[in-house]
Amino acid sequence: METKSPATSNQPQATSYLKENGIRPMDENLIDREDPQYQLHSIRHSAAHIMAHAVQRLIPEAKFAIGPVIKDGFYYDMDLPRTLTSEDLEAIEAEMKKIIKENNSFERQEWDKDKAREFFGEHHQDYKLELIEGIQDETVSIYKEGDFTDLCAGPHVRYTKQCKHFKLLKVSGAYWRADENNAQLQRVYGTAWQTKEDLEKYLFQIEEAAKRDHRKLGRELGLVMFHEYAPGAPFWLPKGQTVFRTLSDKMRNYNLRNGYVEVGTPQMFRKDLWETSGHWDHYRDNMFIFDDEDTQIGLKAMNCPSHMLIFKNERRSYRELPLRIHDQGVLHRNEKSGALSGLTRVRKFCQDDAHLFVTPEQIEHELRKLLIMAKNTYEVFGMKFSKVYLSTRPEDYMGELEMWNQAEASLEKVIKEADIRFEINAGDGAFYGPKIDFIIEDALGREWQTATVQLDFQLPVRFDLKYIDANNEFKTPIVIHRAIYGSLERFIGVLIEHYAGAFPTWLAPVQVHVINLGENHLEYAAHVHKKLLAAGIRSHLDVRNESVNYKIRDGELQKVPMMLVLGDREVENQTVTVRRLHQAKGRSEAISIDEFIANIKAEADIDFADPE
RNA sequence: GCCGAUGUAGCUCAAUAUGGUAGAGCAACGGUUUUGUAAACCGUCGGUUGUAGGUUCAAGUCCUAUCAUCGGCACCA
């Protein structure tokens, strides 16, 4: 299966608030609406104008592109004669404060297009001229604030003083009209709020979120390391590997008991395979390819071609379908250097991948089961999808229209039945079939695709796959690509942030620290530790010559779910005293070793619920 | 890949916006201490300042290239 390797677009989405609420942006005095969401929108949009105004004062040659409202703030794209520095940001902020103090009013005007063309032409606002040409109406709306005039649909606040609580956050490059062939503009991001408290709260939240960044926690908790010799390729350290293996095994077992078979497949293939699959034409730039004698070899970037070959390896009967092939093989994708990011966008990764070979009649049933499996899986982690997309037929689709319509209808039907909220992403399906993508947010609010379900009519044809149906006729199967975690690397990255590093007991790389009080308790601590290991519990014996306080603190920082502190009392009664992670002051009751083992095993007895 | 930023000991940071051959805490190691729920005490080790060039009497500080990372953008059939 081919999750979009890593991510969905991180392009900020302009809020659809106005559209959703059926509000015409040209209404006057919008800030007077009671709806706080509406006011926030107006404040942010106006803050973008004020920022542009400030830039115009400081850098008169500035050309302005677009300045929309986004989640938590706004940005403005500008073409400037020089690159902005962080000092510039401060200067712009200072200038904005002046403008706000001036308390200019926002004034709306309707201009006919020629007047607008003339005005923006005189001011060398090339991007605005281009935007005017894209507007259907005969007239365009203009907002004036002080001596700053902008082409803009609104809405705005009435006076600049209503935008007091803002902060500029960062500058970056951004392509005009999101096309890398166009000029790269400078985008300044900012945030704006109704009250000082809201602003401060937001800034605090950003700081807090950074503390659960998986790159920081991954290092601090000894889960994963990176090295510049292998950019984009995680090294799983013993603890990280434990998490990895636990997740991997859990999913493997989940699949196997739900009718999947598991396979292992080669790591690299001659280019012929990639030509057959279509990847040579469509995906080569993202693959690692090297010469081998008279041909070229490509490291696999996805498992599907292997599974096609496995299907083709035997004469298949309809009685075998659905054939569900699971594979957690290693994949390499040559992601562009600038795209790499911790565990969430890597070059080397594994997916909990599977390909389902089905008859047309089986599609719906299999999809239904898949959605339930995905739902049940994420439920165990207490994770919510921030978005679910149903991506439909693109313009350059392959195959028959009727097949597409049926497939899209099936997907939509089952996703509704599963009671999953989703949005339709029209035209964003793969050329080989429609798909459902599941999106999760990281700590910093960035969105990543994890699970995916994709229908594929194309690969079976390209590989000339056949099965024999009940009438002894050859039929072409349909393939469903699917992954529930998606990339395990990315999933773990998101999980680390979700739990802020404090994994639940079943997943914690180390489940128990056994801590002795003094040298008189060494032997008993070792005994307890040994019993825990024998019971299959991931125990660590901490008998360093350090104070109990020190060792407790260490366990806390390592986010170990349980610590056993053993002293005279425990030795005497052959018990353990349990201290849970983040436990408030005060000591728990002592319990027997066996009781503790039973408790922890019960707690770690977690599994994904089977469909049906 | 593009725009920008960053790179000093294992980690977190210092080293006067105006160059004068690197300091601290934690960790590690050695010793003392034998500890009852978030850091006992003393000592020791540890750095060709990402890499390669250049400017200079002198470079962590300036310049160039390069690598990696970070923030975005683009990409993610």
Side-chain angles (χ1 to χ4, degrees):
Chain A
M1 91 105 286
E2 307 172 27
T3 41
K4 289 169 142 193
S5 151
T8 63
S9 168
N10 284 324
Q11 172 84 6
Q13 306 269 319
T15 58
S16 54
Y17 177 81
L18 301 184
K19 207 184 285 176
E20 276 171 15
N21 291 279
I23 296 165
R24 295 186 314 124
M26 39 288 287
D27 290 356
E28 284 285 355
N29 300 337
L30 294 159
I31 190 69
D32 296 338
R33 283 176 180 271
E34 302 259 316
D35 183 345
Q37 281 302 110
Y38 198 92
Q39 296 185 359
L40 247 190
H41 184 97
S42 302
I43 286 170
R44 287 171 181 164
H45 195 36
S46 304
H49 273 236
I50 294 169
M51 180 173 80
H53 190 181
V55 170
Q56 188 184 56
R57 284 186 182 176
L58 297 169
I59 308 174
E61 307 89 331
K63 294 179 184 177
F64 299 97
I66 54 166
V69 174
I70 53 171
K71 185 171 183 279
D72 300 330
F74 60 90
Y75 68 77
Y76 216 120
D77 283 350
M78 302 171 285
D79 190 352
L80 305 174
R82 63 182 178 80
T83 305
L84 294 177
T85 62
S86 49
E87 290 81 56
D88 284 320
L89 277 198
E90 285 171 31
I92 295 169
E93 266 194 15
E95 196 61 39
M96 286 174 74
K97 281 178 183 154
K98 279 190 208 162
I99 294 168
I100 288 164
K101 214 166 180 185
E102 289 163 15
N103 205 18
N104 303 323
S105 61
F106 278 89
E107 186 194 328
R108 183 174 184 283
Q109 297 181 356
E110 293 263 335
W111 289 3
D112 65 54
K113 277 186 169 175
D114 280 339
K115 182 177 175 186
R117 285 190 191 103
E118 192 183 329
F119 177 86
F120 289 109
E122 269 174 24
H123 291 82
H124 309 290
Q125 291 296 339
D126 307 341
Y127 302 97
K128 296 294 175 188
L129 290 173
E130 213 179 308
L131 290 171
I132 290 169
E133 298 317 313
I135 294 173
Q136 303 291 328
D137 300 338
E138 282 313 298
T139 59
V140 297
S141 65
I142 298 292
Y143 275 84
K144 282 187 169 184
E145 170 266 297
D147 54 356
F148 180 72
T149 303
D150 201 359
L151 175 75
C152 174
H156 283 286
V157 297
R158 307 180 88 182
Y159 305 104
T160 55
K161 258 192 188 166
Q162 289 167 295
C163 298
K164 263 199 276 196
H165 311 293
F166 75 94
K167 185 166 171 55
L168 300 186
L169 299 173
K170 57 199 175 194
V171 208
S172 84
Y175 300 105
W176 168 236
R177 293 195 185 274
D179 184 342
E180 65 179 330
N181 300 312
N182 288 340
Q184 192 162 33
L185 309 171
Q186 293 186 67
R187 174 175 298 176
V188 177
Y189 286 91
T191 185
W193 298 83
Q194 273 164 316
T195 64
K196 195 178 169 201
E197 291 70 38
D198 286 350
L199 174 63
E200 281 169 359
K201 197 171 138 201
Y202 173 72
L203 296 174
F204 177 73
Q205 274 171 2
I206 295 180
E207 276 175 44
E208 286 302 299
K211 290 184 189 164
R212 35 166 81 206
D213 188 319
H214 76 271
R215 292 166 296 198
K216 177 178 149 71
L217 288 172
R219 185 182 59 242
E220 288 174 357
L221 302 178
L223 299 169
V224 66
M225 63 168 259
F226 290 89
H227 197 281
E228 62 177 293
Y229 284 162
F235 291 63
W236 289 109
L237 300 173
K239 288 179 186 173
Q241 182 66 12
T242 303
V243 174
F244 191 104
R245 187 169 34 75
T246 305
L247 288 169
S248 159
D249 288 348
K250 195 65 82 180
M251 185 55 76
R252 174 176 298 107
N253 294 335
Y254 192 35
N255 287 333
L256 291 180
R257 70 172 188 260
N258 281 288
Y260 288 65
V261 291
E262 188 185 19
V263 299
T265 48
Q267 204 57 45
M268 46 195 205
F269 296 86
R270 274 170 27 195
K271 76 180 228 190
D272 316 42
L273 173 83
W274 305 113
E275 284 170 345
T276 302
S277 69
H279 290 96
W280 195 258
D281 286 339
H282 294 283
Y283 204 71
R284 193 177 4 167
D285 289 349
N286 275 296
M287 291 177 62
F288 290 103
I289 292 168
F290 45 91
D291 294 330
D292 179 53
E293 296 191 350
D294 294 335
T295 184
Q296 284 171 295
I297 298 268
L299 279 182
K300 74 171 164 190
M302 55 279 301
N303 295 307
C304 23
S306 301
H307 298 174
M308 301 297 135
L309 298 181
I310 288 174
F311 185 92
K312 225 177 139 90
N313 187 48
E314 301 167 32
R315 177 69 83 217
R316 300 290 179 180
S317 153
Y318 73 98
R319 295 174 198 273
E320 293 178 69
L321 306 187
L323 177 65
R324 310 179 189 89
I325 299 183
H326 179 56
D327 192 337
Q328 293 192 11
V330 174
L331 305 177
H332 285 88
R333 294 184 185 175
N334 194 358
E335 301 292 346
K336 287 178 181 168
S337 55
L340 300 177
S341 172
L343 286 171
T344 39
R345 188 79 182 261
V346 289
R347 286 187 170 143
K348 180 242 169 187
F349 60 102
C350 294
Q351 293 175 326
D352 59 327
D353 200 2
H355 293 93
L356 282 55
F357 298 81
V358 300
T359 67
E361 299 73 44
Q362 291 168 336
I363 291 178
E364 222 168 279
H365 181 69
E366 288 303 311
L367 288 177
R368 193 170 297 123
K369 261 173 61 178
L370 279 175
L371 292 189
I372 295 171
M373 285 177 79
K375 213 174 162 187
N376 292 354
T377 301
Y378 282 80
E379 214 155 65
V380 164
F381 299 100
M383 289 207 286
K384 289 215 175 78
F385 299 114
S386 70
K387 289 201 184 82
V388 177
Y389 290 118
L390 171 57
S391 299
T392 58
R393 178 165 46 87
E395 286 192 9
D396 62 337
Y397 71 98
M398 296 182 92
E400 289 164 29
L401 185 61
E402 197 184 325
M403 196 74 133
W404 273 91
N405 290 338
Q406 190 199 322
E408 287 174 7
S410 303
L411 281 175
E412 185 159 351
K413 186 175 165 207
V414 294
I415 199 171
K416 278 180 176 159
E417 278 174 7
D419 202 22
I420 294 172
R421 269 190 52 196
F422 69 101
E423 294 168 37
I424 290 187
N425 220 343
D428 205 40
F431 70 86
Y432 52 71
K435 56 180 184 167
I436 304 174
D437 291 330
F438 299 80
I439 311 298
I440 299 261
E441 274 185 21
D442 70 12
L444 300 169
R446 291 179 291 205
E447 298 191 324
W448 301 98
Q449 181 193 309
T450 56
T452 184
V453 177
Q454 309 180 359
L455 276 170
D456 185 352
F457 313 116
Q458 208 47 44
L459 269 188
V461 174
R462 295 191 80 117
F463 278 87
D464 193 30
L465 302 188
K466 298 283 185 227
Y467 65 92
I468 296 173
D469 74 2
N471 301 318
N472 201 26
E473 284 172 14
F474 285 119
K475 287 281 162 62
T476 304
I478 292 152
V479 166
I480 302 173
H481 307 243
R482 48 117 281 179
I484 296 180
Y485 296 145
S487 140
L488 269 97
E489 279 72 7
R490 171 177 293 174
F491 189 75
I492 293 172
V494 172
L495 259 193
I496 291 170
E497 301 190 357
H498 174 68
Y499 290 125
F503 291 105
T505 303
W506 72 275
L507 199 50
V510 177
Q511 298 171 309
V512 184
H513 272 193
V514 178
I515 295 168
N516 69 318
L517 223 67
E519 23 185 57
N520 294 336
H521 321 110
L522 275 171
E523 205 180 311
Y524 182 62
H527 166 70
V528 170
H529 170 62
K530 211 171 159 189
K531 269 195 98 164
L532 294 179
L533 289 181
I537 291 162
R538 297 189 287 272
S539 171
H540 170 75
L541 181 61
D542 187 357
V543 288
R544 289 175 295 175
N545 180 14
E546 298 285 355
S547 67
V548 174
N549 280 337
Y550 182 91
K551 290 192 261 193
I552 295 277
R553 178 180 151 82
D554 196 49
E556 281 284 332
L557 294 177
Q558 286 296 305
K559 304 188 192 276
V560 180
M562 301 189 199
M563 288 176 254
L564 302 182
V565 181
L566 308 178
D568 288 340
R569 276 192 284 273
E570 287 76 14
V571 174
E572 195 177 324
N573 304 318
Q574 295 289 294
T575 56
V576 297
T577 302
V578 186
R579 182 194 200 281
R580 301 199 68 107
L581 182 63
H582 305 322
Q583 181 171 309
K585 281 210 187 309
R587 203 188 311 161
S588 320
E589 293 273 302
I591 55 175
S592 75
I593 303 173
D594 289 339
E595 195 180 342
F596 174 69
I597 289 174
N599 289 349
I600 194 170
K601 287 202 134 180
E603 187 171 326
D605 183 22
I606 296 279
D607 216 331
F608 310 139
D610 293 329
E612 281 147 28

